[in-house]
Amino acid sequence: MNRVERHACFGGRQEVWKHPSAALGCEMRFGVYLPPAAVAGERCPVLYWLAGLTCNEQTFITKAGAQEHAARHGLILVAPDTSPRGAGVPNVDSYDLGEGAGFYVNATQAPWSQHYRMQDYVAQELPALVEQQFPCTEARGIFGHSMGGHGALITALRNPGRYRSVSAFAPVVAPSQVPWGSKAFAAYLGEDREAWKEWDAVELIASAGERLPLLVDQGDSDEFLSKQLRPELLEQACAAAGHSLTLRRHPGYDHSYYFIASFIGDHLAHHAASLR
C-alpha cells in the first residue's frame, strides 16, 4: 500500500491510501482516520463507512464531520471507494450503474463479474489490509448512507460474528423492490430474482443468524424516500422477525451530507458503545 494523503485532524491523522486489489482487479483507494490513541500506538476498534451512489473515498472524510467524534471515542474510521475504477473496468454512462455504483454485491454476470466484487472487497480484503497496517483491535463496526446503507446492512447480516455494531443513514433497505436496486441487480446478478434475495436486507432479516441492534436515521424531506428507500419495509420485516430496530424519522432533513453531519455523532456513539 502507498499513502497518498496525510493531514493532522483533531489530534489524530486523516490519511488516504491506495493499493492493488486482488478482489477487484484494479487499484483502489480508501480513507482512514487514526484517532490520537491510534497515533500513540494504542490498538483501537475499526468502524467502516460505505458511501452512496456517485461517491468515492473523499466524500465521507471531507463532508461528514466524523473525525472529531472518532477522536473522542478512540475509533479508527475507514472509508473505501464505492466501486472499482480505471482502464479495463466496465462502465456505462449512468450514475446508478457501473463506476460509483458497485452496490456492495459480488457480480455474477458479464462484463461485471471480473471486477465488481465489492462484497469480497469490503468484508474481506480491505479489513485484512487495514488490520495488518494499522493498530486495530478485533472489534469492527459498519455503517453507511443510501446505497452504502444497503451495503452496511447486508454486509453485517451476511457475516454473523464479524461485526459488533451496524447502522445506516437513509438506506436502500429493499433493493429488490425499488428502481435503483432492480436496475443494478439485473445487470450484476442476472434476471433470477431469487438470487437477488441474498443481497436484500429486508429478505435477509427473516433468517438472520445474528441480531445486532439496528440504528437507522431517515429524513422525511428526502426526495428518494417513497420511491427508492422505503424504510417502512425494513420496519415491517424487523417487527415480524423480532429484530431490534431503532428507526428515527427527522422532519425537514433531506438525503444530503447536511443530514449525515447533523446526526453522525449519534452514530459514532452507538458504535462506540459496542466497540469500546
Side-chain angles (χ1 to χ4, degrees):
M1 298 200 302
N2 294 297
R3 187 175 58 212
V4 294
E5 290 185 35
R6 180 176 178 177
H7 312 280
C9 187
F10 292 103
R13 293 199 304 262
Q14 178 63 60
E15 301 181 347
V16 176
W17 290 72
K18 65 180 181 180
H19 69 97
S21 167
L24 305 178
C26 66
E27 183 178 87
M28 290 293 285
R29 294 188 177 215
F30 65 90
V32 57
Y33 177 69
L34 301 172
V39 172
E42 179 182 334
R43 285 161 52 84
C44 296
V46 187
L47 181 55
Y48 292 87
W49 170 266
L50 304 184
L53 289 168
T54 76
C55 295
N56 59 27
E57 81 287 345
Q58 293 288 330
T59 312
F60 176 76
I61 67 177
T62 58
K63 291 185 175 182
Q67 292 93 338
E68 180 179 8
H69 305 287
R72 184 172 67 255
H73 292 296
L75 299 177
I76 295 173
L77 284 178
V78 176
D81 202 346
T82 51
S83 76
R85 299 179 191 266
V89 174
N91 192 29
V92 294
D93 187 17
S94 175
Y95 81 96
D96 55 0
L97 187 67
E99 289 188 359
F103 270 85
Y104 304 101
V105 303
N106 287 336
T108 59
Q109 304 299 302
W112 310 101
S113 56
Q114 182 178 354
H115 295 282
Y116 284 74
R117 303 190 63 81
M118 285 298 293
Q119 181 65 196
D120 284 350
Y121 179 69
V122 299
Q124 303 293 334
E125 184 179 28
L126 180 61
L129 289 170
V130 167
E131 291 165 18
Q132 181 181 45
Q133 182 74 21
F134 304 105
C136 305
T137 69
E138 295 181 352
R140 307 178 195 93
I142 191 165
F143 67 150
H145 171 232
S146 193
M147 177 187 73
H150 143 77
L153 293 175
I154 64 163
T155 302
L157 288 165
R158 287 171 57 91
N159 295 277
R162 186 158 186 81
Y163 302 94
R164 296 188 185 179
S165 57
V166 58
S167 71
F169 289 87
V172 181
V173 301
S176 299
Q177 301 184 49
V178 302
W180 276 343
S182 296
K183 178 179 179 178
F185 283 10
Y188 297 148
L189 304 173
E191 297 295 342
D192 180 5
R193 288 181 171 263
E194 284 299 308
W196 296 8
K197 293 180 179 180
E198 298 179 25
W199 306 99
D200 186 305
V202 164
E203 297 288 347
L204 292 171
I205 285 289
S207 59
E210 182 180 46
R211 304 207 174 229
L212 293 176
L214 306 181
L215 170 63
V216 174
D217 277 338
Q218 176 64 63
D220 73 358
S221 293
D222 191 318
E223 62 268 40
F224 304 113
L225 178 58
S226 61
K227 187 175 182 181
Q228 304 283 12
L229 306 180
R230 307 287 305 277
E232 71 280 1
L233 297 178
L234 181 65
E235 196 169 36
Q236 293 163 12
C238 286
H243 197 120
S244 175
L245 169 68
T246 300
L247 174 59
R248 308 193 305 181
R249 294 176 169 89
H250 301 280
Y253 285 88
D254 58 21
H255 200 67
S256 72
Y257 267 74
Y258 296 109
F259 164 55
I260 294 169
S262 298
F263 301 102
I264 193 70
D266 293 350
H267 281 248
L268 266 73
H270 165 80
H271 289 278
S274 297
L275 297 174
R276 298 297 301 187

mmCIF file of all heavy atoms in Angstrom, residues 89-120:
data_model
loop_
_atom_site.group_PDB
_atom_site.id
_atom_site.type_symbol
_atom_site.label_atom_id
_atom_site.label_comp_id
_atom_site.label_asym_id
_atom_site.label_seq_id
_atom_site.Cartn_x
_atom_site.Cartn_y
_atom_site.Cartn_z
ATOM 1 N N VAL A 89 -12.024 -1.479 -16.527
ATOM 2 C CA VAL A 89 -13.172 -1.733 -15.652
ATOM 3 C C VAL A 89 -14.451 -1.360 -16.400
ATOM 4 O O VAL A 89 -14.571 -0.232 -16.885
ATOM 5 C CB VAL A 89 -13.060 -0.931 -14.340
ATOM 6 C CG1 VAL A 89 -14.324 -1.078 -13.502
ATOM 7 C CG2 VAL A 89 -11.845 -1.383 -13.543
ATOM 8 N N PRO A 90 -15.416 -2.263 -16.543
ATOM 9 C CA PRO A 90 -16.650 -1.949 -17.268
ATOM 10 C C PRO A 90 -17.367 -0.750 -16.657
ATOM 11 O O PRO A 90 -17.374 -0.557 -15.436
ATOM 12 C CB PRO A 90 -17.490 -3.217 -17.121
ATOM 13 C CG PRO A 90 -16.521 -4.292 -16.808
ATOM 14 C CD PRO A 90 -15.413 -3.649 -16.039
ATOM 15 N N ASN A 91 -18.004 0.037 -17.511
ATOM 16 C CA ASN A 91 -18.727 1.214 -17.052
ATOM 17 C C ASN A 91 -19.786 1.561 -18.089
ATOM 18 O O ASN A 91 -19.707 1.142 -19.249
ATOM 19 C CB ASN A 91 -17.773 2.388 -16.845
ATOM 20 C CG ASN A 91 -18.417 3.533 -16.090
ATOM 21 O OD1 ASN A 91 -19.313 3.316 -15.271
ATOM 22 N ND2 ASN A 91 -17.998 4.749 -16.356
ATOM 23 N N VAL A 92 -20.793 2.299 -17.664
ATOM 24 C CA VAL A 92 -21.819 2.816 -18.566
ATOM 25 C C VAL A 92 -22.047 4.279 -18.225
ATOM 26 O O VAL A 92 -21.635 4.756 -17.161
ATOM 27 C CB VAL A 92 -23.144 2.035 -18.435
ATOM 28 C CG1 VAL A 92 -22.974 0.600 -18.902
ATOM 29 C CG2 VAL A 92 -23.665 2.068 -17.000
ATOM 30 N N ASP A 93 -22.700 4.995 -19.105
ATOM 31 C CA ASP A 93 -22.968 6.414 -18.888
ATOM 32 C C ASP A 93 -24.238 6.566 -18.060
ATOM 33 O O ASP A 93 -25.293 6.956 -18.558
ATOM 34 C CB ASP A 93 -23.100 7.129 -20.231
ATOM 35 C CG ASP A 93 -23.217 8.645 -20.057
ATOM 36 O OD1 ASP A 93 -22.876 9.144 -18.962
ATOM 37 O OD2 ASP A 93 -23.661 9.314 -21.009
ATOM 38 N N SER A 94 -24.125 6.222 -16.781
ATOM 39 C CA SER A 94 -25.270 6.264 -15.877
ATOM 40 C C SER A 94 -24.757 6.387 -14.455
ATOM 41 O O SER A 94 -23.829 5.682 -14.061
ATOM 42 C CB SER A 94 -26.112 4.994 -16.029
ATOM 43 O OG SER A 94 -27.163 4.961 -15.083
ATOM 44 N N TYR A 95 -25.379 7.245 -13.653
ATOM 45 C CA TYR A 95 -24.904 7.452 -12.282
ATOM 46 C C TYR A 95 -25.214 6.279 -11.367
ATOM 47 O O TYR A 95 -24.583 6.125 -10.317
ATOM 48 C CB TYR A 95 -25.510 8.739 -11.696
ATOM 49 C CG TYR A 95 -26.913 8.589 -11.163
ATOM 50 C CD1 TYR A 95 -27.144 8.363 -9.804
ATOM 51 C CD2 TYR A 95 -28.016 8.661 -12.010
ATOM 52 C CE1 TYR A 95 -28.439 8.219 -9.302
ATOM 53 C CE2 TYR A 95 -29.299 8.519 -11.528
ATOM 54 C CZ TYR A 95 -29.510 8.300 -10.173
ATOM 55 O OH TYR A 95 -30.784 8.153 -9.689
ATOM 56 N N ASP A 96 -26.184 5.433 -11.755
ATOM 57 C CA ASP A 96 -26.628 4.373 -10.850
ATOM 58 C C ASP A 96 -26.255 2.970 -11.327
ATOM 59 O O ASP A 96 -26.851 1.983 -10.906
ATOM 60 C CB ASP A 96 -28.134 4.469 -10.606
ATOM 61 C CG ASP A 96 -28.966 4.473 -11.887
ATOM 62 O OD1 ASP A 96 -28.375 4.395 -12.987
ATOM 63 O OD2 ASP A 96 -30.214 4.551 -11.797
ATOM 64 N N LEU A 97 -25.246 2.881 -12.189
ATOM 65 C CA LEU A 97 -24.726 1.588 -12.610
ATOM 66 C C LEU A 97 -23.283 1.785 -13.056
ATOM 67 O O LEU A 97 -22.950 2.793 -13.677
ATOM 68 C CB LEU A 97 -25.554 1.015 -13.761
ATOM 69 C CG LEU A 97 -25.210 -0.426 -14.191
ATOM 70 C CD1 LEU A 97 -25.577 -1.423 -13.089
ATOM 71 C CD2 LEU A 97 -25.937 -0.782 -15.485
ATOM 72 N N GLY A 98 -22.425 0.817 -12.724
ATOM 73 C CA GLY A 98 -21.021 0.932 -13.110
ATOM 74 C C GLY A 98 -20.216 1.700 -12.075
ATOM 75 O O GLY A 98 -20.466 1.596 -10.875
ATOM 76 N N GLU A 99 -19.233 2.472 -12.525
ATOM 77 C CA GLU A 99 -18.347 3.177 -11.604
ATOM 78 C C GLU A 99 -19.146 4.115 -10.709
ATOM 79 O O GLU A 99 -19.999 4.869 -11.162
ATOM 80 C CB GLU A 99 -17.289 3.960 -12.383
ATOM 81 C CG GLU A 99 -16.260 3.051 -13.050
ATOM 82 C CD GLU A 99 -15.104 3.819 -13.659
ATOM 83 O OE1 GLU A 99 -15.103 5.067 -13.582
ATOM 84 O OE2 GLU A 99 -14.192 3.170 -14.197
ATOM 85 N N GLY A 100 -18.835 4.047 -9.408
ATOM 86 C CA GLY A 100 -19.563 4.831 -8.422
ATOM 87 C C GLY A 100 -20.849 4.179 -7.956
ATOM 88 O O GLY A 100 -21.583 4.757 -7.153
ATOM 89 N N ALA A 101 -21.127 2.958 -8.449
ATOM 90 C CA ALA A 101 -22.401 2.302 -8.143
ATOM 91 C C ALA A 101 -22.222 0.795 -8.014
ATOM 92 O O ALA A 101 -22.933 0.019 -8.644
ATOM 93 C CB ALA A 101 -23.429 2.621 -9.227
ATOM 94 N N GLY A 102 -21.281 0.377 -7.190
ATOM 95 C CA GLY A 102 -21.000 -1.048 -7.057
ATOM 96 C C GLY A 102 -22.030 -1.842 -6.284
ATOM 97 O O GLY A 102 -22.079 -3.071 -6.378
ATOM 98 N N PHE A 103 -22.860 -1.175 -5.476
ATOM 99 C CA PHE A 103 -23.934 -1.790 -4.693
ATOM 100 C C PHE A 103 -23.460 -2.867 -3.717
ATOM 101 O O PHE A 103 -24.261 -3.584 -3.139
ATOM 102 C CB PHE A 103 -25.049 -2.345 -5.586
ATOM 103 C CG PHE A 103 -26.124 -1.314 -5.860
ATOM 104 C CD1 PHE A 103 -25.985 -0.398 -6.890
ATOM 105 C CD2 PHE A 103 -27.250 -1.245 -5.054
ATOM 106 C CE1 PHE A 103 -26.951 0.568 -7.127
ATOM 107 C CE2 PHE A 103 -28.227 -0.286 -5.274
ATOM 108 C CZ PHE A 103 -28.076 0.626 -6.316
ATOM 109 N N TYR A 104 -22.156 -2.998 -3.524
ATOM 110 C CA TYR A 104 -21.592 -3.875 -2.491
ATOM 111 C C TYR A 104 -22.028 -5.332 -2.648
ATOM 112 O O TYR A 104 -22.160 -6.059 -1.665
ATOM 113 C CB TYR A 104 -21.919 -3.316 -1.104
ATOM 114 C CG TYR A 104 -21.412 -1.895 -0.962
ATOM 115 C CD1 TYR A 104 -22.275 -0.799 -1.077
ATOM 116 C CD2 TYR A 104 -20.060 -1.637 -0.793
ATOM 117 C CE1 TYR A 104 -21.803 0.510 -1.001
ATOM 118 C CE2 TYR A 104 -19.578 -0.334 -0.720
ATOM 119 C CZ TYR A 104 -20.450 0.732 -0.825
ATOM 120 O OH TYR A 104 -19.973 2.019 -0.763
ATOM 121 N N VAL A 105 -22.229 -5.764 -3.898
ATOM 122 C CA VAL A 105 -22.539 -7.157 -4.194
ATOM 123 C C VAL A 105 -21.348 -7.781 -4.920
ATOM 124 O O VAL A 105 -20.429 -7.083 -5.357
ATOM 125 C CB VAL A 105 -23.813 -7.288 -5.067
ATOM 126 C CG1 VAL A 105 -24.989 -6.615 -4.387
ATOM 127 C CG2 VAL A 105 -23.596 -6.722 -6.470
ATOM 128 N N ASN A 106 -21.365 -9.095 -5.050
ATOM 129 C CA ASN A 106 -20.420 -9.802 -5.911
ATOM 130 C C ASN A 106 -21.126 -10.120 -7.218
ATOM 131 O O ASN A 106 -21.996 -11.003 -7.270
ATOM 132 C CB ASN A 106 -19.939 -11.102 -5.257
ATOM 133 C CG ASN A 106 -18.985 -10.851 -4.113
ATOM 134 O OD1 ASN A 106 -18.329 -9.818 -4.039
ATOM 135 N ND2 ASN A 106 -18.893 -11.807 -3.205
ATOM 136 N N ALA A 107 -20.799 -9.401 -8.281
ATOM 137 C CA ALA A 107 -21.470 -9.592 -9.566
ATOM 138 C C ALA A 107 -21.186 -10.993 -10.114
ATOM 139 O O ALA A 107 -20.082 -11.519 -9.973
ATOM 140 C CB ALA A 107 -21.010 -8.530 -10.553
ATOM 141 N N THR A 108 -22.198 -11.549 -10.764
ATOM 142 C CA THR A 108 -22.067 -12.873 -11.375
ATOM 143 C C THR A 108 -22.197 -12.822 -12.896
ATOM 144 O O THR A 108 -21.970 -13.835 -13.559
ATOM 145 C CB THR A 108 -23.142 -13.829 -10.827
ATOM 146 O OG1 THR A 108 -24.444 -13.281 -11.121
ATOM 147 C CG2 THR A 108 -22.996 -14.007 -9.323
ATOM 148 N N GLN A 109 -22.576 -11.660 -13.441
ATOM 149 C CA GLN A 109 -22.865 -11.548 -14.867
ATOM 150 C C GLN A 109 -21.775 -10.767 -15.593
ATOM 151 O O GLN A 109 -21.247 -9.778 -15.076
ATOM 152 C CB GLN A 109 -24.212 -10.836 -15.068
ATOM 153 C CG GLN A 109 -25.376 -11.496 -14.351
ATOM 154 C CD GLN A 109 -25.624 -12.913 -14.812
ATOM 155 O OE1 GLN A 109 -25.868 -13.146 -15.995
ATOM 156 N NE2 GLN A 109 -25.565 -13.870 -13.891
ATOM 157 N N ALA A 110 -21.456 -11.224 -16.818
ATOM 158 C CA ALA A 110 -20.536 -10.486 -17.680
ATOM 159 C C ALA A 110 -21.220 -9.184 -18.137
ATOM 160 O O ALA A 110 -22.442 -9.155 -18.320
ATOM 161 C CB ALA A 110 -20.164 -11.338 -18.894
ATOM 162 N N PRO A 111 -20.444 -8.108 -18.315
ATOM 163 C CA PRO A 111 -18.991 -7.998 -18.148
ATOM 164 C C PRO A 111 -18.576 -7.593 -16.733
ATOM 165 O O PRO A 111 -17.424 -7.304 -16.477
ATOM 166 C CB PRO A 111 -18.650 -6.877 -19.134
ATOM 167 C CG PRO A 111 -19.827 -5.947 -19.026
ATOM 168 C CD PRO A 111 -21.022 -6.849 -18.842
ATOM 169 N N TRP A 112 -19.524 -7.570 -15.797
ATOM 170 C CA TRP A 112 -19.285 -7.003 -14.471
ATOM 171 C C TRP A 112 -18.543 -7.945 -13.529
ATOM 172 O O TRP A 112 -17.861 -7.505 -12.609
ATOM 173 C CB TRP A 112 -20.620 -6.613 -13.839
ATOM 174 C CG TRP A 112 -21.477 -5.799 -14.741
ATOM 175 C CD1 TRP A 112 -22.547 -6.239 -15.472
ATOM 176 C CD2 TRP A 112 -21.327 -4.414 -15.056
ATOM 177 N NE1 TRP A 112 -23.084 -5.216 -16.206
ATOM 178 C CE2 TRP A 112 -22.347 -4.079 -15.966
ATOM 179 C CE3 TRP A 112 -20.442 -3.421 -14.637
ATOM 180 C CZ2 TRP A 112 -22.510 -2.794 -16.486
ATOM 181 C CZ3 TRP A 112 -20.584 -2.141 -15.147
ATOM 182 C CH2 TRP A 112 -21.600 -1.838 -16.059
ATOM 183 N N SER A 113 -18.680 -9.244 -13.739
ATOM 184 C CA SER A 113 -18.230 -10.212 -12.739
ATOM 185 C C SER A 113 -16.723 -10.232 -12.522
ATOM 186 O O SER A 113 -16.266 -10.641 -11.450
ATOM 187 C CB SER A 113 -18.716 -11.608 -13.128
ATOM 188 O OG SER A 113 -18.286 -11.956 -14.435
ATOM 189 N N GLN A 114 -15.950 -9.798 -13.492
ATOM 190 C CA GLN A 114 -14.494 -9.827 -13.321
ATOM 191 C C GLN A 114 -14.017 -8.819 -12.295
ATOM 192 O O GLN A 114 -13.047 -9.061 -11.575
ATOM 193 C CB GLN A 114 -13.800 -9.579 -14.661
ATOM 194 C CG GLN A 114 -12.269 -9.640 -14.557
ATOM 195 C CD GLN A 114 -11.592 -9.436 -15.902
ATOM 196 O OE1 GLN A 114 -12.254 -9.352 -16.939
ATOM 197 N NE2 GLN A 114 -10.270 -9.346 -15.893
ATOM 198 N N HIS A 115 -14.684 -7.666 -12.204
ATOM 199 C CA HIS A 115 -14.199 -6.582 -11.344
ATOM 200 C C HIS A 115 -15.160 -6.221 -10.200
ATOM 201 O O HIS A 115 -14.696 -5.802 -9.134
ATOM 202 C CB HIS A 115 -13.943 -5.322 -12.180
ATOM 203 C CG HIS A 115 -12.837 -5.470 -13.177
ATOM 204 N ND1 HIS A 115 -11.500 -5.400 -12.820
ATOM 205 C CD2 HIS A 115 -12.859 -5.708 -14.505
ATOM 206 C CE1 HIS A 115 -10.751 -5.568 -13.901
ATOM 207 N NE2 HIS A 115 -11.554 -5.761 -14.934
ATOM 208 N N TYR A 116 -16.452 -6.338 -10.427
ATOM 209 C CA TYR A 116 -17.412 -5.804 -9.459
ATOM 210 C C TYR A 116 -17.728 -6.847 -8.383
ATOM 211 O O TYR A 116 -18.806 -7.438 -8.342
ATOM 212 C CB TYR A 116 -18.682 -5.326 -10.172
ATOM 213 C CG TYR A 116 -18.493 -4.004 -10.872
ATOM 214 C CD1 TYR A 116 -17.767 -3.921 -12.054
ATOM 215 C CD2 TYR A 116 -19.000 -2.825 -10.341
ATOM 216 C CE1 TYR A 116 -17.562 -2.712 -12.699
ATOM 217 C CE2 TYR A 116 -18.809 -1.604 -10.968
ATOM 218 C CZ TYR A 116 -18.086 -1.556 -12.151
ATOM 219 O OH TYR A 116 -17.883 -0.351 -12.783
ATOM 220 N N ARG A 117 -16.762 -7.029 -7.492
ATOM 221 C CA ARG A 117 -16.908 -7.946 -6.352
ATOM 222 C C ARG A 117 -16.699 -7.145 -5.057
ATOM 223 O O ARG A 117 -15.820 -7.424 -4.250
ATOM 224 C CB ARG A 117 -15.934 -9.114 -6.469
ATOM 225 C CG ARG A 117 -16.100 -9.896 -7.772
ATOM 226 C CD ARG A 117 -15.319 -11.184 -7.779
ATOM 227 N NE ARG A 117 -15.773 -12.110 -6.735
ATOM 228 C CZ ARG A 117 -16.837 -12.900 -6.855
ATOM 229 N NH1 ARG A 117 -17.578 -12.872 -7.951
ATOM 230 N NH2 ARG A 117 -17.176 -13.703 -5.867
ATOM 231 N N MET A 118 -17.565 -6.153 -4.900
ATOM 232 C CA MET A 118 -17.396 -5.217 -3.791
ATOM 233 C C MET A 118 -17.646 -5.865 -2.437
ATOM 234 O O MET A 118 -17.077 -5.446 -1.433
ATOM 235 C CB MET A 118 -18.311 -4.005 -3.979
ATOM 236 C CG MET A 118 -17.831 -3.024 -5.032
ATOM 237 S SD MET A 118 -16.215 -2.286 -4.642
ATOM 238 C CE MET A 118 -16.623 -1.296 -3.190
ATOM 239 N N GLN A 119 -18.490 -6.889 -2.364
ATOM 240 C CA GLN A 119 -18.701 -7.549 -1.073
ATOM 241 C C GLN A 119 -17.421 -8.228 -0.603
ATOM 242 O O GLN A 119 -17.040 -8.111 0.565
ATOM 243 C CB GLN A 119 -19.844 -8.558 -1.166
ATOM 244 C CG GLN A 119 -20.159 -9.281 0.126
ATOM 245 C CD GLN A 119 -20.674 -8.384 1.240
ATOM 246 O OE1 GLN A 119 -20.692 -8.781 2.398
ATOM 247 N NE2 GLN A 119 -21.108 -7.174 0.918
ATOM 248 N N ASP A 120 -16.752 -8.926 -1.500
ATOM 249 C CA ASP A 120 -15.471 -9.537 -1.128
ATOM 250 C C ASP A 120 -14.480 -8.471 -0.678
ATOM 251 O O ASP A 120 -13.703 -8.686 0.265
ATOM 252 C CB ASP A 120 -14.879 -10.304 -2.312
ATOM 253 C CG ASP A 120 -15.571 -11.637 -2.561
ATOM 254 O OD1 ASP A 120 -16.379 -12.059 -1.702
ATOM 255 O OD2 ASP A 120 -15.300 -12.244 -3.611
#
